[in-house]
Amino acid sequence: MTDSADQRRPRARLVVDLDAVADNVSTLRSRVGGAQVMAVVKADGYGHGMLEVARAARFGGATWLGVAVIEEALALRAAGDRGPVLTWLTVPGEDYCAAIAAGVDVTAYTVAEVAEIAAAAHSVGDRARLQLKVDTGLGRGGAMEADWPDVVAAARAAEASGAVQVTGVWSHLACSDEPEHPANDQQEHAFRRALAVAESAGLRPGLRHLANSAAALTRPSSHFDLVRCGLATYGLSPVPQLQTSAELGLVPAMTARARLAVVKRVPGGSGVSYGHTYTTPAETTLAVVPVGYGEGVPRSGSSVAPVQVAGRRMQIAGRVCMDQFVVDVGDAPVAAGDEVVLFGPGLAGEPTAEDWARACGTISYEIVTQIGGRFLRVHTGSAGSTSTEVGQR
Ligand SMILES: *Cc1c(COP(=O)(O)O)cnc(C)c1O
């Protein structure tokens, strides 16, 4: 690259490889036998860009897309996606009419939600595509087992009246990232009981689904008709303590890079960044990286998170600020404008989002979903190519 091309490179960018996303979906398909793959693209595609990732995931063979809220599903439709989409998180008074008119599957946990959805279907003059969620032990959304027969009966009655078509019955696991945890078996048994109740009430849901990424990769008995994969779609391991992305055949799709803003020599004993929580042990070179917690770089990465500068692994020195952080690069030959990699696929020695998660005491989900702010997000790969600012999310 020439110097002038170098000068034009942006200050900080997130590069999302859409071919990796498509390949990850195709790898997941090959791992789950006959089950369909739903790519979960909520929360702006876990920070990767919902619309771009959705296209790449469809290209890779995802027959379904999953999002949390109705607005996300409508955004997919507005962008031209016409395939099956499921949503699962609402409050009373949501715009079910828009979801029904757009042919989006909505989820009910309660009799009241079934009634609200059926009423919306009447006013739209169309049948709602309805999935029912049972709480098999996560203790979050979904009908409790004791209430399940009533929810099923309400859905059956709404189906008989022509207001809804029950397309699926599903649940969600609490401990799938610990495959040996007894809750997994218990939840699977509870799910089978709930399916039997639905069957005996006359429901014939075409789709029965329970597994997220971790269960899709570690628990074949949980696959049923479809697996809902978020994290693995983006190439990150949902069971990092057991298997890395590479061991699972997945490629992390996101690389976060920036260019050094300032490089300077400082004497030993120099305090670095707010609070002087880091002091240079000897004369050294400090490099300022122009991203901070305003970009979702976790402040808990202060003095612990890894980066790659000049081909070497180094660590953040002192506190992460709103717009910037500092790296003590020692005597490495670096200059302002050089590139620093925060995390990437890990194939060239750079840290991964999983390395950041471990350093920051969190999970890789949070690292990639939070990162954004003033990073310029760019998509590469043949499964689509656009460039967007991610400031407003
Ligand atoms: C987010 C979500 C998923 C995806 O989970 P991963 O662990 O990222 O695969 C699946 N199902 C539901 C209900 C979710 O909310």
Side-chain angles (χ1 to χ4, degrees):
M1 198 173 271
T2 66
D3 280 350
S4 62
D6 228 52
Q7 298 290 326
R8 284 196 305 269
R9 273 183 299 154
R11 182 177 60 251
R13 65 205 152 114
L14 300 177
V15 183
V16 176
D17 179 357
L18 296 175
D19 289 342
V21 170
D23 287 349
N24 291 331
V25 170
S26 143
T27 299
L28 287 163
R29 283 179 66 203
S30 71
R31 293 283 299 262
V32 297
Q36 300 181 63
V37 173
M38 171 188 289
V40 178
V41 297
K42 63 192 180 187
D44 202 22
Y46 289 39
H48 294 68
M50 178 176 74
L51 301 179
E52 292 86 353
V53 156
R55 271 199 306 269
R58 292 280 197 207
F59 185 77
T63 48
W64 279 81
L65 298 176
V67 289
V69 300
I70 289 173
E71 291 93 318
E72 292 173 313
L74 296 178
L76 289 167
R77 288 288 187 254
D81 190 281
R82 294 281 161 265
V85 177
L86 174 66
T87 69
W88 52 71
L89 189 62
T90 53
V91 294
E94 291 275 356
D95 194 358
Y96 286 114
C97 291
I100 294 163
V104 168
D105 283 46
V106 294
T107 299
Y109 306 166
T110 63
V111 170
E113 285 173 345
V114 172
E116 202 179 345
I117 292 162
H122 279 302
S123 75
V124 173
D126 204 351
R127 275 212 302 181
R129 296 175 55 92
L130 174 65
Q131 302 206 19
L132 303 178
K133 184 181 181 195
V134 58
D135 184 351
T136 53
L138 174 58
R140 201 174 71 181
M144 293 300 285
E145 205 165 347
D147 302 324
W148 180 241
D150 289 345
V151 174
V152 162
R156 182 68 195 112
E159 196 169 59
S161 81
V164 311
Q165 176 192 2
V166 177
T167 53
V169 167
W170 64 279
S171 189
H172 195 37
L173 296 167
C175 305
S176 59
D177 56 337
E178 300 169 62
E180 305 303 324
H181 198 293
N184 292 307
D185 275 336
Q186 287 161 13
Q187 285 198 257
E188 210 177 290
H189 288 134
F191 189 55
R192 290 179 195 281
R193 286 196 300 276
L195 289 173
V197 169
E199 285 264 322
S200 62
L203 292 182
R204 297 289 175 268
L207 279 186
R208 301 157 300 167
H209 48 110
L210 177 63
N212 61 355
S213 293
L217 290 164
T218 65
R219 211 177 160 77
S221 59
S222 71
H223 291 170
F224 295 91
D225 303 311
L226 171 144
V227 296
R228 303 183 306 269
C229 295
L231 196 71
T233 295
Y234 307 101
L236 297 166
S237 171
V239 286
Q241 76 289 11
L242 302 175
Q243 282 177 296
T244 63
S245 293
E247 286 164 353
L248 292 167
L250 302 172
V251 178
M254 183 191 286
T255 301
R257 16 170 116 252
R259 297 176 63 207
L260 299 177
V262 178
V263 172
K264 62 186 182 189
R265 290 295 280 180
V266 300
S270 302
V272 176
S273 193
Y274 291 130
H276 284 180
T277 58
Y278 178 82
T279 304
T280 57
E283 183 184 320
T284 189
T285 300
L286 296 180
V288 177
V289 180
V291 290
Y293 61 78
E295 278 64 58
V297 175
R299 190 165 175 276
S300 56
S302 298
S303 286
V304 293
V307 296
Q308 187 187 44
V309 188
R312 289 183 224 172
R313 266 301 176 108
M314 301 185 186
Q315 214 157 293
I316 293 178
R319 287 199 185 139
V320 172
C321 312
M322 188 181 292
D323 319 305
Q324 47 197 307
F325 64 79
V326 180
V327 181
D328 179 347
V329 300
D331 296 325
V334 301
D338 283 359
E339 241 176 10
V340 46
V341 181
L342 282 72
F343 57 83
L347 304 174
E350 76 279 15
T352 61
E354 178 54 36
D355 292 330
W356 272 72
R358 207 172 313 111
C360 299
T362 182
I363 52 178
S364 61
Y365 294 78
E366 192 179 25
I367 299 295
V368 293
T369 303
Q370 288 288 325
I371 204 106
R374 290 158 288 184
F375 272 101
L376 175 74
R377 191 171 59 203
V378 180
H379 292 90
T380 62
S382 60
S385 180
T386 55
S387 172
T388 45
E389 302 278 354
V390 287
Q392 301 299 315
R393 285 203 282 138

